[in-house]
Amino acid sequence: MHNITIPTKDRMLNLGEFSLKRRGNQITAVILVVGLILTIIRFTQGIGSITNLDDNMPWGMWIGFDLLCGVCLAAGGYFTSVACYVMGMKHFHSAVRPAITTAFLGYAFVVVALLYDLGHPLRLPYMFFFPGTTSVLFEVGLCVATYLTVLFIEFSPAPLEWLGQKFPIFLKWRRYVLKLTIILTIFGVCLSTLHQSSLGALYLIAPGKLHPLWYSPFIPMFFFVSSMAAGASMVVFEGMFAHKGVHHYMDATHLREADEVVFSFSKAAAFILFGYFTLKFVDMCVQDNFRYLLSGYGLWWIVEMVFFVLTPALLYAKGSRERNIRLCRMASINAVAGIILNRFNVSMVAYNFQLPSAERYFPSVWEVCISIFVVTLIVTVYRFIVYHMPVLYEHPNFKDAH
């Protein structure tokens, strides 16, 4: 196990990594303190105290990044579990728990970030008591809430194995959860298909506000297909940072299978991105949007499609064919940046394009700080999980877990 610190009944906590005087820990502490201060200001002084939102732009940075990007980049959970459990690709087993963990944290903190935008945390469950069944937003909320529950159950074997060292009752629940793996996987991919596409459907009601190059009757399909590319890319992207930061918590099986996971998911991402590029190009032709290509927005659309869709697709294809791990990881960075850029373009850059520049929305520095705070929380909680739970390694008492 090459010196992996495994919690025991007598020593359940392993917080030494957080107390080390490293630059990363110091930066994390500063971000968390500033974020907590801004959180207090937000919930005591109102949303106008730290945002530039107005009646023209009620959805800004927190929706564009924390929600649209967060949900899309958390797609690695359903993508990996389907590949392993539904398609029978058992050699991806070691990638399932890390993918499910990051997906669960992604969705959980999407809800946390959404509270900053809503401002009334206690009203979040109102949609279940006063359902707007004809609303796409209701469908998104219902699916995200249900899928978050599914992810929690899928993720639960790891904390149950950790807590089971001291409280054996948890091991009984773990056995029940493992029997539900296939059902949960199928249920999860169905829910993901619904809400990933429905996030795009939210913009169908704004054809006059969203620039024609980004607006399309097929935008729900574009959101779903791009989420598949994001899912494959995030497995490679997250694995790259995990190998650098928590390499010493990976067992021999994880290390042995890691490269093959990267090459396989890179190949899948290449096909998906090529397909996405083709769909977007055909859609532009069908809608006869060539006349917009020579405008400023047209050039920006070309930049997005060429440098953040086609380029990572080519890098993935070349990297997987030549088994160049570095090239595949570069492609994952490029692809993840492209997903973020696309969601920013749809939700902010190309939205309200007809307004004069003086009336356009630009996020305040405090909005950006809150988003950085939320991302830092995700990383911090992920570190805690990896330090305590068998996510990157097989627990010696539960060899059936992977």
Side-chain angles (χ1 to χ4, degrees):
M1 300 291 285
H2 67 95
N3 298 323
I4 297 177
T5 303
I6 301 178
T8 63
K9 179 180 179 180
D10 299 322
R11 187 182 178 185
M12 294 291 290
L13 294 177
N14 176 29
L15 302 177
E17 298 273 3
F18 292 104
S19 60
L20 295 177
K21 292 184 178 180
R22 293 175 178 170
R23 183 173 298 177
N25 286 338
Q26 294 169 347
I27 294 174
T28 297
V30 171
I31 293 174
L32 293 181
V33 170
V34 173
L36 288 173
I37 294 172
L38 291 175
T39 298
I40 294 172
I41 294 173
R42 159 66 186 98
F43 286 103
T44 57
Q45 304 299 317
I47 196 170
S49 61
I50 57 174
T51 73
N52 288 336
L53 298 173
D54 54 29
D55 291 338
N56 286 323
M57 196 69 180
W59 287 359
M61 175 80 176
W62 294 340
I63 297 298
F65 180 74
D66 299 348
L67 178 62
L68 298 185
C69 294
V71 169
C72 186
L73 295 176
Y78 85 81
F79 193 88
T80 309
S81 58
V82 166
C84 182
Y85 297 125
V86 177
M87 297 184 178
M89 300 177 182
K90 299 300 182 182
H91 53 289
F92 295 148
H93 240 150
S94 61
V96 173
R97 277 205 178 178
I100 292 294
T101 301
T102 53
F104 170 66
L105 292 178
Y107 275 86
F109 280 94
V110 160
V111 176
V112 171
L114 189 60
L115 296 179
Y116 286 88
D117 199 72
L118 296 176
H120 289 278
L122 296 179
R123 295 188 179 181
L124 194 62
Y126 273 29
M127 67 175 179
F128 299 110
F129 303 108
F130 307 101
T133 54
T134 59
S135 169
V136 175
L137 192 57
F138 168 73
E139 190 271 341
V140 171
L142 182 63
C143 283
V144 169
T146 309
Y147 186 48
L148 179 58
T149 305
V150 170
L151 281 173
F152 174 74
I153 298 173
E154 287 186 296
F155 164 71
S156 63
L160 290 176
E161 290 171 17
W162 171 50
L163 295 172
Q165 302 300 306
K166 193 166 187 177
F167 309 101
I169 185 64
F170 288 114
L171 301 182
K172 181 179 179 181
W173 289 104
R174 172 189 171 274
R175 289 193 293 271
Y176 291 143
V177 171
L178 292 181
K179 293 178 182 179
L180 298 174
T181 298
I182 298 297
I183 295 175
L184 291 171
T185 300
I186 296 173
F187 195 33
V189 73
C190 291
L191 290 169
S192 296
T193 303
L194 290 170
H195 69 257
Q196 293 285 0
S197 59
S198 294
L199 284 172
L202 290 173
Y203 291 90
L204 288 175
I205 63 172
K209 292 186 175 182
L210 186 58
H211 193 280
L213 285 171
W214 283 272
Y215 180 85
S216 169
F218 302 104
I219 193 171
M221 178 183 66
F222 296 149
F223 265 55
F224 175 65
V225 174
S226 61
S227 79
M228 294 170 62
S233 297
M234 277 302 293
V235 172
V236 180
F237 184 80
E238 180 265 336
M240 173 177 62
F241 287 99
H243 274 269
K244 185 174 182 179
V246 289
H247 179 88
H248 51 295
Y249 282 89
M250 298 177 179
D251 64 4
T253 301
H254 192 99
L255 293 172
R256 183 177 64 251
E257 296 178 354
D259 287 357
E260 192 58 40
V261 169
V262 170
F263 296 135
S264 299
F265 277 68
S266 296
K267 185 183 296 184
F271 279 106
I272 296 168
L273 285 171
F274 278 126
Y276 177 75
F277 180 85
T278 303
L279 290 171
K280 291 284 286 186
F281 181 76
V282 170
D283 179 68
M284 185 197 65
C285 296
V286 169
Q287 297 199 72
D288 192 23
N289 285 333
F290 286 100
R291 61 187 182 278
Y292 298 111
L293 291 181
L294 295 181
S295 66
Y297 281 103
L299 294 177
W300 188 238
W301 185 86
I302 292 173
V303 167
E304 178 190 327
M305 297 307 299
V306 172
F307 294 103
F308 294 95
V309 178
L310 192 57
T311 298
L314 292 170
L315 291 176
Y316 271 135
K318 184 176 177 61
S320 60
R321 182 183 179 186
E322 298 180 356
R323 301 185 69 80
N324 186 329
I325 194 101
R326 185 176 180 182
L327 196 58
C328 291
R329 288 174 173 171
M330 287 176 57
S332 73
I333 298 173
N334 196 175
V336 169
I339 294 295
I340 295 173
L341 177 64
N342 173 258
R343 298 310 191 253
F344 274 21
N345 285 339
V346 171
S347 62
M348 290 183 285
V349 178
Y351 194 78
N352 280 332
F353 71 98
Q354 77 285 1
L355 292 179
S357 58
E359 299 180 23
R360 296 293 304 278
Y361 164 82
F362 192 85
S364 70
V365 64
W366 308 124
E367 290 178 79
V368 177
C369 287
I370 287 291
S371 293
I372 294 174
F373 171 62
V374 172
V375 173
T376 304
L377 280 175
I378 295 175
V379 174
T380 303
V381 176
Y382 177 84
R383 290 176 62 197
F384 178 88
I385 291 172
V386 168
Y387 296 157
H388 294 85
M389 305 175 197
V391 172
L392 301 176
Y393 63 88
E394 289 181 302
H395 196 286
N397 296 339
F398 306 100
K399 288 296 184 179
D400 63 330
H402 294 273

